Amino acid sequence: MSTSDRSDELFGALPDMSAVPSNIDRRSFLMRSAVIGASAALTGTAWTPEARAQQAAKEAGATKLGATLSPDLNVVKASKGPVMTVLEEFYKVGPGPSSSHTIGPMRITYDFYQRCTKLPAEQLAQATGLKVHLFGSLSATGKGHGTERASLAGLVGKEPATVNPLFLDEMIAKPQQTYPVKLGGKTFNLSLADIIYDSVKGDFPHPNTMTCKLMAGDKVLYELEYYSVGGGFIEWKGYQPPKKGQPKYPYATMKELRQHAEANKLSIAQVILANEIAVSGKTEEQINAFLDKIAGAMLATVKTGLSLKDDVLPGPIKLRSKAATVWERAQDDKYEADRAIAMVSAFALAASEENARGHLVITAPTGGSAGVMPAVVYALSESKRKVPIEKIRQGLLAGAAIGYLCKHSATLSGAEGGCQSEIGVASAMSAALIAQIIDSPPQVIENAAESALEHHLGMTCDPVAGYVQVPCIERCAFGAVKAWTAVMIATNEIASRHRVDLDTTIKTLADTGRDMSAKYKETSEGGLAANLVLC
């Protein structure tokens, strides 16, 4: 028998394309099938095409944790048209440590409670309690993210932007505490026991899936399935996006955005502002007031973080804060050569440590990456540069443009795309912010954002013990420094010679996230989370 004949016998015919299951990523299926075929050739094992296809589907499916998003999700549908995200949806104030695992679930349960208050009186008269079931990544790492506390807080009427973090801290100190909830003419008590960590693995519409139920004993009176889709954005089964105006300058890619800017002799910030007015219906004054609030909140998180020295962050890691120590050393003339990097790093550590404490932070774009952009804003505002608020607004608009595009064509969710979707996007947004503030042209802003994102590609989300501390806090410092580095390179090269465009890098971000094993996507099943032993 010839080598060719032997190979044909071992490999069998290639699986027909119709053999690719609808719920399995096609690329993963074909790669698994090729590996199985190669293994068969090496070991002398014969695989029929049917058995090979069945095994490839099994392995491709096993690596996913709801990673193949349901096409019914609006976050998937919205990627087909122009960018429609607005600032108030994007930059959110809320408690750390995670936009998808803390802010999102709190918004979800608050929404569910509000829905319950509108149910018919006869239905509410039967109610005995509320239950929340967490699935997928929310179940896998929810303990370390405070998901159960956030979920309970929403049920008892707390909103992310206004909740007192001390209220959430009390839940840690008093886990048996009950909280009264009034529905209709009845009041009943809820506790953390009403938040249930359910299945980690399953065919979920999104990795961050949860269900909320109004109960009458063991009977479900009313139930709704929700999804925390990243960056604090939420959806539910049957979700319809709110009606919005049409953008003045519609774009779905960086190429289109830059064409609008260059053709109309506008900056990236000016294009985004015009679209914001058209889509949201708000005035320029209202938008500026919101941007000022976000900038002020960013400065406040850094300032508070710097004021707390060498305290122990919550959780089993017993990690000590170091932002204040790094900042103090940066003031020492002995280390003057390191001062710029040290100060930016200290600011990022400060905001990220505030996130780890569960204090209020700003999603830019997520809670896990909430140290990156505030560090840059603080460095620009509170240093010798003293950049005025008008310039900071422009930077926040340009940064939002990059975040919008990454959300539109990839993801902001660590549970869906790994840490590249959080720190990588935050670094790219921050690079755009800096480049816009120094009045760089659109091409340079794109180049800076692209470089920052490119050099985070492949970064996994592997939080030790499920807490947003190791490696998350230091990653914010590196993301902030990389943003500055990206701008330095972009402003020192001939812009037209930059070889990689942002759209290509965002597509690569999406592709890499899809191919990444589920154990590296906020499940704490791999990487540092699996290898670091806590003693």
Side-chain angles (χ1 to χ4, degrees):
M1 182 184 290
S2 70
T3 302
S4 175
D5 292 339
R6 180 62 177 155
S7 295
D8 288 343
E9 179 185 318
L10 293 174
F11 277 88
L14 285 171
D16 186 76
M17 288 303 96
S18 62
V20 182
S22 60
N23 63 332
I24 297 295
D25 179 70
R26 177 178 178 274
R27 182 177 178 184
S28 295
F29 174 85
L30 294 176
M31 288 176 66
R32 298 273 169 183
S33 181
V35 170
I36 292 167
S39 299
L42 291 171
T43 61
T45 305
W47 283 77
T48 65
E50 294 75 20
R52 185 172 157 193
Q54 186 177 9
Q55 182 65 18
K58 179 181 177 182
E59 291 185 12
T63 65
K64 303 295 179 184
L65 182 63
T68 303
L69 300 189
S70 167
D72 295 330
L73 290 172
N74 183 65
V75 74
V76 176
K77 294 176 183 176
S79 65
K80 306 296 191 294
V83 168
M84 296 290 287
T85 309
V86 294
L87 292 168
E88 288 194 5
E89 295 172 330
F90 194 77
Y91 291 125
K92 300 185 189 73
V93 178
S98 170
S99 51
S100 61
H101 286 54
T102 310
I103 296 175
M106 190 184 297
R107 293 187 67 212
I108 283 169
T109 52
Y110 181 82
D111 177 83
F112 185 73
Y113 172 75
Q114 297 302 319
R115 290 170 184 267
C116 286
T117 63
K118 298 177 177 66
L119 293 173
E122 60 271 19
Q123 195 171 3
L124 291 177
Q126 303 174 54
T128 59
L130 293 155
K131 297 284 184 185
V132 175
H133 289 251
L134 306 173
F135 298 94
S137 180
L138 294 177
S139 182
T141 61
K143 283 285 184 186
H145 289 66
T147 305
E148 77 276 26
R149 300 192 301 278
S151 299
L152 180 56
L155 289 180
V156 301
K158 306 295 184 183
E159 293 187 87
T162 57
V163 66
N164 186 340
L166 296 179
F167 178 83
L168 301 176
D169 290 346
E170 182 187 73
M171 290 182 175
I172 302 175
K174 301 176 182 178
Q176 307 304 319
Q177 178 81 26
T178 60
Y179 302 86
V181 173
K182 183 177 173 60
L183 272 176
K186 301 180 70 172
T187 298
F188 42 82
N189 291 322
L190 298 179
S191 72
L192 290 173
D194 293 303
I195 314 301
I196 298 156
Y197 287 94
D198 215 311
S199 303
V200 172
K201 307 275 185 179
D203 187 18
F204 310 123
H206 189 277
N208 298 328
T209 294
M210 55 194 285
T211 59
C212 300
K213 302 177 182 181
L214 178 67
M215 307 297 296
D218 294 332
K219 176 186 173 185
V220 178
L221 291 174
Y222 175 57
E223 177 179 358
L224 190 57
E225 184 173 278
Y226 286 89
Y227 320 104
S228 179
V229 297
F233 289 85
I234 66 169
E235 295 185 28
W236 49 86
K237 203 165 194 175
Y239 172 82
Q240 293 296 322
K243 298 295 182 184
K244 297 178 178 178
Q246 290 301 305
K248 183 175 181 179
Y249 302 107
Y251 68 94
T253 64
M254 186 67 203
K255 180 180 179 181
E256 292 172 348
L257 174 58
R258 192 156 60 82
Q259 285 173 342
H260 283 306
E262 291 170 348
N264 293 281
K265 294 182 170 50
L266 299 172
S267 68
I268 295 295
Q270 287 171 322
V271 173
I272 299 304
L273 178 60
N275 279 0
E276 183 73 18
I277 293 169
V279 175
S280 73
K282 295 184 182 298
T283 65
E284 182 174 345
E285 291 73 22
Q286 289 173 317
I287 292 164
N288 285 339
F290 176 77
L291 290 170
D292 291 352
K293 182 180 80 170
I294 292 302
M298 287 183 173
L299 297 177
T301 60
V302 175
K303 188 173 182 178
T304 303
L306 290 175
S307 71
L308 300 172
K309 185 175 181 181
D310 200 32
D311 66 323
V312 179
L313 299 174
I317 303 175
K318 305 302 179 188
L319 187 68
R320 289 190 172 275
S321 64
K322 53 192 169 190
T325 304
V326 174
W327 185 83
E328 284 181 2
R329 173 173 158 155
Q331 311 314 304
D332 191 331
D333 289 342
K334 185 166 53 173
Y335 304 104
E336 185 177 5
D338 305 329
R339 184 168 293 162
I341 290 177
M343 290 182 68
V344 171
S345 299
F347 301 154
L349 293 171
S352 193
E353 286 168 359
E354 277 293 275
N355 184 63
R357 294 182 184 103
H359 293 173
L360 294 181
V361 293
I362 302 87
T363 62
T366 67
S369 63
V372 181
M373 187 175 277
V376 172
V377 170
Y378 198 93
L380 290 166
S381 302
E382 303 299 311
S383 67
K384 292 179 181 178
R385 290 182 177 86
K386 295 292 181 187
V387 171
I389 187 61
E390 293 79 14
K391 283 287 187 182
I392 296 296
R393 290 174 193 155
Q394 294 172 20
L396 289 172
L397 286 165
I402 305 305
Y404 290 172
L405 285 166
C406 292
K407 175 183 180 292
H408 190 76
S409 298
T411 180
L412 306 178
S413 170
E416 186 186 341
C419 198
Q420 57 174 359
S421 300
E422 298 198 43
I423 298 291
V425 175
S427 186
M429 290 170 57
S430 299
L433 178 144
I434 300 167
Q436 177 66 71
I437 283 173
I438 61 175
D439 295 320
S440 299
Q443 175 76 71
V444 174
I445 291 174
E446 175 183 356
N447 293 352
E450 186 285 319
S451 288
L453 182 59
E454 178 184 335
H455 298 295
H456 287 88
L457 291 177
M459 183 175 279
T460 60
C461 183
D462 51 352
V464 173
Y467 281 73
V468 190
Q469 296 179 12
V470 177
C472 323
I473 292 172
E474 289 186 359
R475 280 185 180 170
C476 282
F478 280 86
V481 171
K482 281 186 180 181
W484 285 98
T485 304
V487 174
M488 289 173 61
I489 293 173
T491 53
N492 279 279
E493 67 179 349
I494 297 174
S496 61
R497 292 181 181 175
H498 196 87
R499 298 296 296 169
V500 186
D501 62 274
L502 182 61
D503 292 324
T504 296
T505 304
I506 293 175
K507 181 181 185 303
T508 307
L509 169 70
D511 292 344
T512 305
R514 278 191 293 269
D515 291 341
M516 190 182 290
S517 168
K519 69 182 182 180
Y520 296 118
K521 293 194 280 191
E522 213 165 357
T523 59
S524 291
E525 293 180 343
L528 280 173
N531 294 324
L532 182 61
V533 179
L534 299 178
C535 299

